[in-house]
Amino acid sequence: MNERTAAAYPVTVRPRIAEDLPGAAAALVRVHASDGYPVEGVADPVGWLRPEGLVGAWVAVVDGAVVGHVAVVEAGGPLVLVRLFVVREARRDGAGKALVRAAEAFARERGRGLELEVLGKDRAAMRLYERLGWRRGGDLVHEFGDGERAMGARYVAP
């Protein structure tokens, strides 16, 4: 899979269905092993892919395999983009961009704004959002269940 080209294996982004959850969970475990995302771990990857307030979710698929995921949750104000990840081998194929664009289109179709929070350690994600026209909306502190804290930022969709 590492030597494939985007032309040989195009990325398809589509709404997530229940049958996608095992593949998405396996991809999440791989991303956690390579990047430490999510910081809280992946003890229950399928559960983590079903956050409270879920209103939409999409997967990126290459050659029949789930290589990425994104979800949108209702949080009382703007919709919130969450659970975005792409396995390392598919990052140059446009999977992340396509997933973000799917979430943006979902919010636009509903006449809603879209925002997200990202940890400061996730510089590649920040660069992606900025390349896609997202505006940094300020700094924040993310608190983990064990009392640990990390700096992050809020971004707002264009």
Side-chain angles (χ1 to χ4, degrees):
M1 188 168 177
N2 289 350
E3 295 182 22
R4 67 182 168 71
T5 64
Y9 298 96
V11 173
T12 300
V13 170
R14 60 174 171 71
R16 186 186 81 194
I17 58 175
E19 291 80 9
D20 293 324
L21 283 170
L28 174 63
V29 169
R30 288 174 54 204
V31 168
H32 179 70
S34 67
D35 301 334
Y37 176 83
V39 173
E40 294 92 344
V42 289
D44 177 13
V46 171
W48 190 82
L49 292 170
R50 294 189 244 172
E52 186 175 326
L54 180 69
V55 293
W58 299 264
V59 290
V61 178
V62 173
D63 195 29
V66 174
V67 298
H69 179 276
V70 72
V72 172
V73 296
E74 174 69 55
L79 296 173
V80 181
L81 184 149
V82 297
R83 309 313 197 244
L84 173 64
F85 60 89
V86 175
V87 298
R88 192 170 292 274
E89 305 86 63
R91 292 184 187 163
R92 299 257 186 241
D93 294 342
K97 175 181 178 179
L99 287 163
V100 171
R101 293 298 192 217
E104 290 172 347
F106 179 82
R108 246 187 335 273
E109 289 166 5
R110 283 151 186 76
R112 304 283 300 277
L114 185 64
E115 62 182 36
L116 62 83
E117 294 179 0
V118 60
L119 292 179
K121 75 172 191 64
D122 295 324
R123 299 279 184 218
M126 292 173 150
R127 286 190 301 271
L128 170 66
Y129 304 135
E130 290 168 4
R131 275 195 316 270
L132 297 179
W134 287 60
R135 291 176 287 110
R136 189 172 176 142
D139 295 329
L140 57 90
V141 176
H142 183 82
E143 296 188 24
F144 303 96
D146 61 4
E148 190 176 335
R149 301 169 70 151
M151 292 302 297
R154 178 171 286 109
Y155 279 83
V156 178

